[in-house]
Amino acid sequence: MAKPEQTGTRTLVDAPALSPAAIAKPELISVEQAKAMDVARITDLFKAHLNPGQLHFMKLLGFHKIKIERAEGMFYIDQNGRKILDFFGGFGSLAFGHNHPRILEARKKFQEEKRQEIAIAFMSQYAAALAHNIAKCSPGDLDMVFLGSSGSEAMEAAVKLAERAAGPKRPKIVYAENSFHGKTKGVLAITDGQLYRADFKVADNVVRVPFADIDAVERLFKSDPEIGVIVLETIQGGGGIIQAPTQYWQKLRALCDQYGVLWVADEVQCGYGRSGRFYAFEHYGVVPDVTALAKSLGAGKAAVGAMIARRDVYMKAYGTPKTAMIHAMATFGGMGEACVTAIEGINVLYDEGLIDNAASTGGYLLQRLRALKEKYPKIIKDLRGKGFMIGLEFHDFSQTLPMVLRPVVSVLDDKLKGSLSGFVGSLLLRDYDVLVAFTEYNRNVIRLEPPLICQPEHVDRFVDAFDSLLSRGIVAIVKDFVKSQVGK
């Protein structure tokens, strides 16, 4: 079929003949042709059909030169056979690394036995089993589960549930500065980033407070009886791996109980063992009313998200036949193979001791990075995190330079935010075959979220590479990065 003809503001399409035989197959790319594409062809298609603006940033970092052919364990393998150590981890979505054999086997068996994938009309043994497993992993009375396909969808479900349970007289929702809860329209109202909000019209029943400021929360609860819900990441990911102390969470739980406010804990990124406990809030001896998981819940092979709520809260919102279908699972929530993948993943998580490994090997990673912070105090400003969710913050650019240059460059610090992180991330990949991530709001932070299978030898390789790069000095790092841009 020919491409539609653009005429002014209208698109005209010739109606196909009624006979199916008359419909010609377009010029489509086959699976094998896709696999065989070179970087140039991928770039052309990315620019033409995906996101031309994003390509600009990929070119700056040098990521556009790489075609990943396959991935295994802690490594990507590119078109040249180069093994790239993954300390990015898909923003926490690769707890088991790449292509874990048990996950692959579970999916293969599901396919070979031709089991049901979409069976909306019937109850699914796989969705039921996954919900049971998630409830068993959840403390307190968090036992009602909604299954979806992403963190945004899980958080949409969590906020809708909490708002309904709070009731129409308490419609206001509190959220934190520098929060990230997703990009879909509903949770965009509690995602504190102008980049994502842009000029969209978002819900106005929200109130913002500083993160980790319990006094601000208490003042709000006291002064506004319409507040019914508070939504918080237990560890802020996009904000730069920011934590609150134990006292904050314990006082928050007490305040929510005192004022009848429902607490929604966003564990999409920090949950599922990443912090060294199944949920990060478990470190503080508290349990929220509603929480959400995603990322690694799909074991790196499926898109799975989940909302988990206390039974009494769930029943208050959707506990009658009349209300039960208000927010039931969507078409792809609880798909067969996705659920089987997640079921096997949770079993692997415990069978292989990966939560314990996140705590112990993550502690070793923090220990080695603290030594680097002491070695390079003029470059590394702060180090924070738990388990395998770590943020390493650089000083503003001017503060990393020789004293004579600081006054001149300091006026540009705001514009240069994120530049050192970008230089370091780009050169770690180019010269050391190591991949790291960044954060949305504090661009001076490098985010480290390696798979939970990460071992001390992987930590050593990463830290040694990072040490070697920083030992060049900032001026040399800048020069090396500029050279890498020549000829792009």
Side-chain angles (χ1 to χ4, degrees):
M1 184 186 296
K3 291 195 71 171
E5 176 189 353
Q6 299 287 340
T7 59
T9 59
R10 305 180 70 184
T11 300
L12 303 180
V13 181
D14 292 334
L18 293 178
S19 170
I23 299 175
K25 182 179 180 181
E27 293 182 8
L28 303 178
I29 297 170
S30 70
V31 172
E32 287 303 313
Q33 287 170 330
K35 179 182 173 184
M37 278 183 194
D38 61 17
V39 171
R41 176 66 169 149
I42 298 169
T43 301
D44 288 342
L45 294 180
F46 194 98
K47 190 187 302 183
H49 303 299
L50 285 172
N51 194 327
Q54 185 181 354
L55 185 60
H56 165 77
F57 296 104
M58 296 177 78
K59 285 184 174 180
L60 277 178
L61 295 168
F63 292 3
H64 71 299
K65 297 178 179 179
I66 294 171
K67 175 191 173 186
I68 299 301
E69 294 286 2
R70 58 192 184 89
E72 185 174 355
M74 287 291 298
F75 296 92
Y76 290 103
I77 297 93
D78 75 0
Q79 70 271 33
N80 301 312
R82 179 171 64 139
K83 295 181 71 175
I84 298 168
L85 180 63
D86 185 5
F87 261 61
F88 174 8
F91 292 122
S93 60
L94 291 164
F96 308 101
H98 301 272
N99 291 306
H100 190 288
R102 275 184 59 177
I103 305 299
L104 293 182
E105 183 59 31
R107 290 170 66 85
K108 180 182 177 184
K109 189 173 182 181
F110 182 93
Q111 294 163 14
E112 289 175 346
E113 295 178 356
K114 297 182 180 177
R115 287 182 252 168
Q116 80 276 15
E117 186 66 88
I118 297 175
I120 298 170
F122 309 103
M123 290 186 293
S124 166
Q125 61 268 52
Y126 308 115
L130 176 58
H132 168 273
N133 287 358
I134 292 172
K136 284 294 184 182
C137 294
S138 302
D141 49 359
L142 289 168
D143 57 6
M144 297 299 290
V145 179
F146 168 90
L147 297 174
S149 304
S150 70
S152 291
E153 188 181 359
M155 283 303 298
E156 292 274 1
V159 173
K160 286 179 69 178
L161 174 85
E163 185 176 332
R164 272 191 62 79
K169 293 183 179 179
R170 308 190 69 177
K172 291 186 180 178
I173 300 169
V174 178
Y175 71 101
E177 291 178 358
N178 294 323
S179 60
F180 182 90
H181 298 292
K183 299 176 186 175
T184 49
K185 195 73 183 312
V187 290
L188 198 58
I190 54 172
T191 289
D192 187 37
Q194 190 54 42
L195 171 66
Y196 302 119
R197 285 192 175 195
D199 54 0
F200 294 110
K201 175 66 177 174
V202 298
D204 57 6
N205 61 324
V206 296
V207 185
R208 186 176 69 167
V209 293
F211 184 70
D213 186 340
I214 198 64
D215 293 333
V217 172
E218 186 169 16
R219 285 193 298 270
L220 265 180
F221 286 7
K222 279 183 178 179
S223 64
D224 193 342
E226 291 192 342
I227 289 172
V229 180
I230 184 167
V231 184
L232 299 166
E233 295 162 273
T234 313
I235 302 175
Q236 287 193 325
I241 317 300
I242 306 299
Q243 303 171 87
T246 299
Q247 310 91 280
Y248 173 86
W249 298 109
Q250 294 183 346
K251 183 70 179 292
L252 176 73
R253 179 68 275 177
L255 287 173
C256 286
D257 292 340
Q258 179 182 348
Y259 289 95
V261 175
L262 295 174
W263 167 27
V264 178
D266 184 343
E267 293 261 339
V268 167
Q269 188 170 156
C270 62
Y272 202 79
R274 180 149 298 277
S275 73
R277 301 292 295 269
F278 189 84
Y279 292 104
F281 59 71
E282 292 182 87
H283 288 284
Y284 310 113
V286 290
V287 180
D289 302 294
V290 186
T291 188
L293 294 169
K295 301 291 188 188
S296 286
L297 184 57
K301 300 299 289 186
V304 184
M307 174 209 73
I308 310 95
R310 286 173 30 206
R311 174 173 288 275
D312 62 329
V313 175
Y314 182 91
M315 296 302 285
K316 194 172 182 182
Y318 305 129
T320 69
K322 186 177 179 179
T323 60
M325 300 305 290
I326 290 174
H327 200 96
M329 284 193 295
T331 306
F332 300 117
M335 285 181 70
E337 189 172 332
C339 286
V340 165
T341 305
I343 290 168
E344 186 69 358
I346 293 176
N347 278 279
V348 172
L349 189 70
Y350 287 96
D351 290 346
E352 298 191 359
L354 297 184
I355 300 176
D356 293 331
N357 186 61
S360 59
T361 307
Y364 176 60
L365 174 58
L366 279 166
Q367 175 189 327
R368 289 221 54 195
L369 288 173
R370 286 190 193 102
L372 281 194
K373 183 177 181 292
E374 293 177 5
K375 186 175 180 180
Y376 303 104
K378 295 180 180 178
I379 299 176
I380 300 174
K381 177 181 179 180
D382 195 18
L383 176 68
R384 48 189 179 261
K386 286 185 184 297
F388 282 137
M389 188 172 180
I390 294 172
L392 192 148
E393 184 175 1
F394 294 119
H395 286 286
D396 282 339
F397 197 76
S398 66
Q399 300 305 303
T400 68
L401 296 172
M403 190 68 71
V404 67
L405 296 174
R406 290 184 187 179
V408 179
V409 179
S410 63
V411 296
L412 298 173
D413 274 338
D414 281 344
K415 290 185 177 180
L416 291 173
K417 270 196 184 299
S419 56
L420 183 54
S421 296
F423 298 163
V424 168
S426 176
L427 294 175
L428 277 173
L429 180 61
R430 189 194 73 175
D431 297 344
Y432 300 94
D433 303 334
V434 172
L435 181 66
V436 297
F438 311 99
T439 62
E440 286 91 341
Y441 303 141
N442 186 343
R443 290 169 292 161
N444 282 347
V445 175
I446 281 182
R447 176 171 11 190
L448 305 175
E449 296 185 358
L452 306 191
I453 63 170
C454 180
Q455 297 298 307
E457 58 263 32
H458 301 124
V459 169
D460 289 338
R461 176 174 163 180
F462 163 70
V463 176
D464 290 347
F466 194 45
D467 186 7
S468 175
L469 178 57
L470 295 185
S471 71
R472 300 181 191 180
I474 295 302
V475 174
I477 288 172
V478 173
K479 286 181 178 178
D480 289 342
F481 177 78
V482 171
K483 287 179 184 177
S484 74
Q485 299 298 298
V486 176
K488 285 193 174 182

